[in-house]
Amino acid sequence: MLKKLTIFLTILITFAGINSCRTKNQSNSMDKTDQKVKEILATLTLEQKVGQMTQLTLGALSVGKSHDKASLPITLDPVKLDSAFKICKLGSVLNTVNNQAQTPQEWNRIIDQLQKVAIAETGIPLLYGVDAIHGTTYTAGGTLFPQQINQGATFNPQLVKRLNRMTAYEMRASGIPWNFAPVQDLGRDPRDPRFWETYGEDILVCRTLGEAAVIGMQGEHVVDIDKYHAAACLKHFLAYNSNSGKDRNPLEISIRELKERHAASFQAAMDAGAKTIMINSGLINGIPVHASYDILTQLARNEMGFEGMIVTDWADIDNLYKRDKFASSPKEAVKLAINAGIDMSMVPYSMKFCEYLIQLVNEGEVPMSRIDDAVSRILKLKLELGLFEHPTTSYKDYPDFGSKKHEQLSMEAALESITVLENIDQILPLKKTAKVLVTGPNANSMRTMNGGWSYSWQGEKVEKFTQHYNTFLEAIQNKIGKKNVVFTEGVSYDMQGKYYEEINIDIASAVKAAKGVDYILLFLGENTYCEKPGDLHDLYISENQTQLALELAKTGKPVVLILNEGRPRLISKFEQKMAAVVQTYLPSNFGGDALAEILFGDVNPCGKLPYTYPMFPNSLITYDYKPAEKQEKMEGLYDYESDVAIQYEFGRGLSYTTFEYSNLTLSSSELSPEGSVKVTVNVQNTGSRFGKEVVMLFSSDLYASISPDNQRLRGFEKISLEPGETKTVTFELTPRHLSFYNQQNQLVAEQGEFVLRVGDLKQKIILKETVAFDEPSKLNL
């Protein structure tokens, strides 16, 4: 033990000198960090190296009946610690215990203990990670922000940057330096149970917000991360759940589609300096991604230039054998994954991974060069996080943890995300003197406002931590007075049994309660879910909720439908009977207060739909569909017409003011291969109140060697306008904006004519010559 402590102190003293010059010369610091990695690596045995590549869940180190049922307060098990650190030389831990948030004080206590053991036994500090995907998911008393789908609806990268900066701050107050976020998957399939973890369906939105998230989380394009920031982990590389509607399912996809959409959504976040990526748990073209050299090494490393560390998802190396039948044994599964390019295994329980990998190296099945490469990336991350100097942090050094300032940001994000989708006869905003019926299963639940990854994995423990926040009902009562609010659920979720089941069906009571009110505020949607437990058979909103909506519409009272859901549940059976429709998505703890501000006119809504809301189960389409997907009306048994398949289009979001677009101008009608064209448009607030508008530039390629998308978003900017004010918005367009992957899987912009659109305004532009941007992809999928 003394030897290990001496090694650690030597590393600490040497690295302290390196750290002092970081701010003077980041490049020099990087070189010295690389040198220090080599020095540390040279001192490690094979066992120590493999230990660094291993990650266990905290429950596997705690006292308790099982991994998932540890004793509280958390007590580390000395026997398990010996096994993990003395034998396995463990390098990383993740997660919480009992699927429950802990206080920052408790996190500090546990991580301090773990770091002391890790340093004493291995000479190297531990790397701790959690899924803090919308604020400090697993820290009690911290700030939760609206979920990523809400952040997509803001179309505001600066806001997303601030959200992630404050998430990192509160994580470090908890002693945790590594966040499994942001999610860079595209929300292309509304059936997907992880749809709400994405920024939506569009590549540019995902790229732009992902880049902002990484910069906010890690700092402004830094090499070394200070104690107020944390390492980001992009997930789930690549094309996760993009066309099956089920979590962790196989995918058949062309290289062209894989690169043009799914790899592109990760590229900007990688270029922003993301330190780590987590891998898709499914299969692509029959190959588990965790065993795909083409994706992990050829694509991520060689073609996309990712230099950080690659970590598995939960138990996914084992799944190569147990689930996918791709490996003939658990040991072969380890060989396949590590040789493909995996650096760290989220085991998360058994330490057999260490045993197998050591054997594989000794047998020559995994080269030592691959081990050294993986461990070098892990050590470099720990050095860049400053863990060798400061393995732990203290909540006492983070006075803004859970502060009013952070809560205000959560409120701001909720306000900017809530989206008005329909507003017949401008029924909204409502007068504060109105008497309203509040009804529906989502009306009085903090749990449904937060969704999954909230204080627990499935979000089922939200109510335990959120008593001081306001549900939708409570916020409305606070806004207009309890005397003006009648409440009856009509339909309730079973919060104790199967979360998707509905109980206490009393639609008649809701109908009766509507008689004495001016308006009905109907809160429909989903209960919480996360990952595989959120798979569903029917995208329609439940039959009970549908019936509640239909019966309330019969009362003749105007019904304002308020959706609180993680994905677009189909509402076409009753939507046309609603006077207004508002999408709150999963707005988190201040969603109730934010909605009340919007419903009663204190704040003008500015959220925009970050996906296409489908109308029917067999009409799942994205805004950038191929021309062949739009068909003329075909008379017949079902009288099919594709034009009516969309309930609400991508980018829709109504305001209480009006905006007028004018003077769409191009600096040139021709675009040269090396040039650019400035696209300007004037936007005026022609209404009577302040408002925010998202200005979007779309392009349509009229003809191409690959059938082009109907349209693609090429730029967006959120602006604020006072009544009568006009602003000029400028976009810069280059040939790369108009590029796609051709039949040779090469990124090109082809000569020809394009239509540019902003609002209802259009202009044509000609690309004079075909431009090739890189070599054809070498992927062999």
Side-chain angles (χ1 to χ4, degrees):
M1 182 179 294
L2 181 59
K3 180 181 179 182
K4 302 301 181 187
L5 285 170
T6 302
I7 292 172
F8 176 71
L9 288 172
T10 302
I11 293 169
L12 176 59
I13 293 168
T14 304
F15 194 69
I18 297 171
N19 186 60
S20 65
C21 70
R22 285 176 178 169
T23 55
K24 298 177 183 177
N25 191 321
Q26 287 282 18
S27 177
N28 188 42
S29 176
M30 189 186 304
D31 293 340
K32 290 188 176 182
T33 300
D34 290 339
Q35 180 59 38
K36 181 50 58 181
V37 167
K38 292 179 182 178
E39 293 173 7
I40 298 172
L41 192 67
T43 70
L44 302 181
T45 64
L46 173 60
E47 288 76 14
Q48 289 172 315
K49 293 175 182 178
V50 169
Q52 288 299 302
M53 298 170 67
T54 308
Q55 184 182 61
L56 295 183
T57 185
L58 181 58
L61 302 173
S62 304
V63 173
K65 295 180 180 179
S66 68
H67 298 312
D68 301 319
K69 293 183 180 179
S71 303
L72 291 177
I74 301 169
T75 303
L76 298 177
D77 188 321
V79 175
K80 294 176 181 177
L81 292 177
D82 277 355
S83 179
F85 290 99
K86 280 189 176 180
I87 299 174
C88 188
K89 314 299 182 184
L90 185 68
S92 183
V93 176
L94 81 155
N95 215 356
T96 183
V97 297
N98 287 15
N99 185 32
Q100 180 173 305
Q102 308 296 323
T103 65
Q105 295 91 331
E106 183 71 352
W107 276 122
N108 285 180
R109 181 181 68 83
I110 292 301
I111 293 175
D112 285 354
Q113 291 180 33
L114 287 171
Q115 289 289 20
K116 288 176 181 177
V117 175
I119 292 167
E121 296 298 338
T122 72
I124 299 172
L126 191 75
L127 179 63
Y128 207 104
V130 295
D131 293 270
I133 71 165
H134 69 122
T136 46
T137 302
Y138 284 135
T139 303
T143 310
L144 289 190
F145 299 115
Q147 295 279 7
Q148 249 189 236
I149 197 64
N150 288 74
Q151 296 174 39
T154 71
F155 281 78
N156 188 338
Q158 291 304 315
L159 178 58
V160 170
K161 185 186 296 185
R162 290 164 60 204
L163 292 172
N164 280 271
R165 184 186 306 127
M166 292 188 179
T167 296
Y169 179 97
E170 295 200 355
M171 286 177 60
R172 295 307 292 263
S174 307
I176 301 171
W178 185 22
N179 187 11
F180 304 134
V183 174
Q184 290 302 112
D185 306 319
L186 296 173
R188 306 284 289 182
D189 190 324
R191 299 168 298 178
D192 178 11
R194 307 195 76 162
F195 188 89
W196 50 268
E197 294 184 56
T198 76
Y199 291 121
E201 70 184 37
D202 178 66
I203 303 167
L204 179 63
V205 172
C206 186
R207 282 173 57 90
T208 305
L209 299 188
E211 177 184 27
V214 169
I215 294 172
M217 181 66 57
Q218 296 187 169
E220 296 283 343
H221 294 278
V222 298
V223 173
D224 299 321
I225 297 174
D226 66 28
K227 69 176 185 178
Y228 300 111
H229 293 83
C233 183
L234 312 181
K235 61 187 189 186
H236 308 81
F237 194 79
L238 186 66
Y240 193 68
N241 296 353
S242 61
N243 74 343
S244 69
K246 303 290 185 183
D247 189 42
R248 291 172 163 83
N249 264 26
L251 170 68
E252 295 292 321
I253 192 171
S254 68
I255 295 173
R256 187 173 64 250
E257 178 78 2
L258 191 74
K259 291 202 68 177
E260 185 167 331
R261 298 197 197 281
H262 302 283
S265 72
F266 280 81
Q267 187 69 71
M270 287 181 174
D271 293 344
K275 299 295 185 183
T276 66
I277 59 175
M278 184 183 292
I279 303 308
N280 178 351
S281 295
L283 289 75
I284 292 180
N285 299 338
I287 308 297
V289 183
H290 280 75
S292 173
Y293 180 88
D294 264 296
I295 292 177
L296 301 186
T297 299
Q298 180 58 36
L299 178 58
R301 299 288 191 204
N302 300 340
E303 294 191 20
M304 298 179 72
F306 179 67
E307 297 180 351
M309 188 258 283
I310 296 177
V311 64
T312 76
D313 206 337
W314 190 269
D316 273 331
I317 290 182
D318 268 356
N319 281 334
L320 300 179
Y321 166 69
K322 290 181 179 179
R323 182 195 66 191
D324 299 328
K325 313 303 178 187
F326 189 77
S328 60
S329 67
K331 182 177 175 180
E332 187 187 26
V334 173
K335 178 180 111 172
L336 293 171
I338 301 304
N339 284 340
I342 292 294
D343 297 322
M344 179 181 286
S345 173
M346 190 183 291
V347 176
Y349 299 125
S350 167
M351 284 171 285
K352 279 288 186 180
F353 169 81
C354 299
E355 179 182 328
Y356 294 144
L357 187 50
I358 291 168
Q359 292 173 4
L360 288 164
V361 174
N362 288 332
E363 293 164 3
E365 295 295 313
V366 173
M368 182 62 80
S369 60
R370 175 76 270 276
I371 300 298
D372 286 347
D373 175 58
V375 177
S376 293
R377 297 180 194 278
I378 295 166
L379 292 173
K380 185 174 183 179
L381 176 60
K382 292 182 177 184
L383 287 165
E384 290 173 341
L385 280 166
L387 297 180
F388 282 86
E389 307 155 85
H390 303 289
T392 61
T393 53
S394 170
Y395 73 94
K396 295 178 182 179
D397 296 329
Y398 298 83
D400 282 333
F401 174 86
S403 66
K404 292 296 181 184
K405 180 173 70 173
H406 288 195
E407 290 185 340
Q408 181 56 42
L409 183 63
S410 183
M411 177 71 167
E412 182 182 340
L415 286 168
E416 287 218 15
S417 66
I418 292 174
T419 308
V420 176
L421 297 173
E422 197 63 79
N423 192 14
I424 305 299
D425 297 327
Q426 285 70 55
I427 190 173
L428 296 177
L430 303 176
K431 293 181 179 179
K432 294 175 186 174
T433 55
K435 190 165 186 177
V436 301
L437 167 64
V438 174
T439 186
N442 293 62
N444 195 32
S445 167
M446 291 303 304
R447 174 176 172 176
T448 63
M449 286 204 307
N450 277 283
W453 291 124
S454 300
Y455 305 106
S456 62
W457 178 41
Q458 294 294 316
E460 79 281 7
K461 297 177 182 176
V462 166
E463 306 294 345
K464 178 178 178 180
F465 297 92
T466 56
Q467 293 303 309
H468 55 297
Y469 300 109
N470 295 315
T471 65
F472 292 124
L473 169 66
E474 291 165 343
I476 291 167
Q477 289 173 331
N478 292 340
K479 179 61 68 176
I480 64 173
K482 288 186 178 181
K483 68 180 187 303
N484 288 325
V485 180
V486 179
F487 171 63
T488 179
E489 282 185 308
V491 176
S492 304
Y493 296 119
D494 183 357
M495 295 298 191
Q496 304 302 321
K498 295 181 178 179
Y499 306 139
Y500 59 85
E501 290 186 348
E502 294 167 350
I503 58 176
N504 301 327
I505 314 302
D506 190 1
I507 295 173
S509 69
V511 171
K512 182 179 180 181
K515 293 180 179 179
V517 303
D518 301 310
Y519 303 98
I520 299 169
L521 303 182
L522 175 58
F523 290 83
L524 303 183
E526 300 180 300
N527 200 356
T528 63
Y529 56 86
C530 191
E531 300 187 57
K532 198 68 180 176
D535 284 357
L536 48 66
H537 297 295
D538 187 357
L539 193 56
Y540 273 111
I541 209 160
S542 77
E543 291 183 9
N544 291 324
Q545 295 188 46
T546 298
Q547 192 62 32
L548 178 61
L550 290 170
E551 293 301 318
L552 288 171
K554 291 178 183 178
T555 66
K557 299 296 176 69
V559 181
V560 178
L561 172 63
I562 297 140
L563 297 168
N564 172 210
E565 56 189 7
R567 54 194 158 193
R569 301 299 294 268
L570 304 185
I571 56 175
S572 53
K573 293 179 180 179
F574 58 86
E575 185 270 349
Q576 70 278 10
K577 300 179 186 297
M578 303 292 103
V581 180
V582 180
Q583 175 64 284
T584 70
Y585 314 94
L586 300 172
S588 201
N589 287 330
F590 291 92
D593 299 312
L595 179 68
E597 294 285 297
I598 288 171
L599 287 179
F600 296 97
D602 289 329
V603 172
N604 192 356
C606 62
K608 299 289 185 181
L609 197 64
Y611 53 80
T612 304
Y613 206 120
M615 187 174 284
F616 303 113
N618 201 32
S619 299
L620 307 184
I621 194 170
T622 54
Y623 87 95
D624 51 355
Y625 58 82
K626 295 294 184 184
E629 295 179 80
K630 182 178 180 181
Q631 300 173 8
E632 298 300 323
K633 183 173 181 177
M634 183 68 70
E635 299 287 351
L637 180 62
Y638 297 106
D639 200 24
Y640 176 79
E641 184 177 8
S642 64
D643 276 354
V644 299
I646 295 173
Q647 192 78 63
Y648 303 112
E649 70 275 11
F650 169 85
R652 183 177 177 84
L654 305 181
S655 173
Y656 297 156
T657 191
T658 53
F659 300 99
E660 183 177 296
Y661 289 72
S662 64
N663 197 28
L664 178 62
T665 305
L666 309 183
S667 61
S668 173
S669 61
E670 293 186 346
L671 180 59
S672 64
E674 303 297 329
S676 65
V677 169
K678 282 186 167 47
V679 182
T680 60
V681 65
N682 293 338
V683 184
Q684 182 181 18
N685 182 347
T686 54
S688 59
R689 61 182 298 169
F690 170 84
K692 296 180 180 181
E693 172 72 340
V694 180
V695 184
M696 302 184 193
L697 170 66
F698 294 89
S699 75
S700 297
D701 191 346
L702 297 187
Y703 300 96
S705 60
I706 296 291
S707 181
D709 293 344
N710 159 66
Q711 59 180 333
R712 287 280 288 274
L713 183 65
R714 301 304 187 184
F716 65 89
E717 183 177 341
K718 194 165 195 174
I719 60 174
S720 300
L721 292 169
E722 296 291 344
E725 183 181 7
T726 299
K727 285 185 178 178
T728 299
V729 177
T730 301
F731 300 101
E732 186 170 6
L733 193 71
T734 68
R736 195 174 189 95
H737 288 106
L738 305 175
S739 63
F740 64 93
Y741 280 89
N742 63 14
Q743 295 181 57
Q744 290 73 43
N745 296 316
Q746 183 176 28
L747 187 66
V748 298
E750 289 185 343
Q751 175 184 1
E753 194 172 32
F754 298 80
V755 173
L756 305 180
R757 177 177 66 84
V758 181
D760 293 328
L761 306 177
K762 295 180 180 180
Q763 289 279 13
K764 287 187 178 180
I765 190 170
I766 295 174
L767 178 61
K768 297 173 66 176
E769 299 176 30
T770 296
V771 185
F773 293 100
D774 56 19
E775 297 297 321
S777 176
K778 297 178 181 179
L779 296 181
N780 183 24
L781 300 173

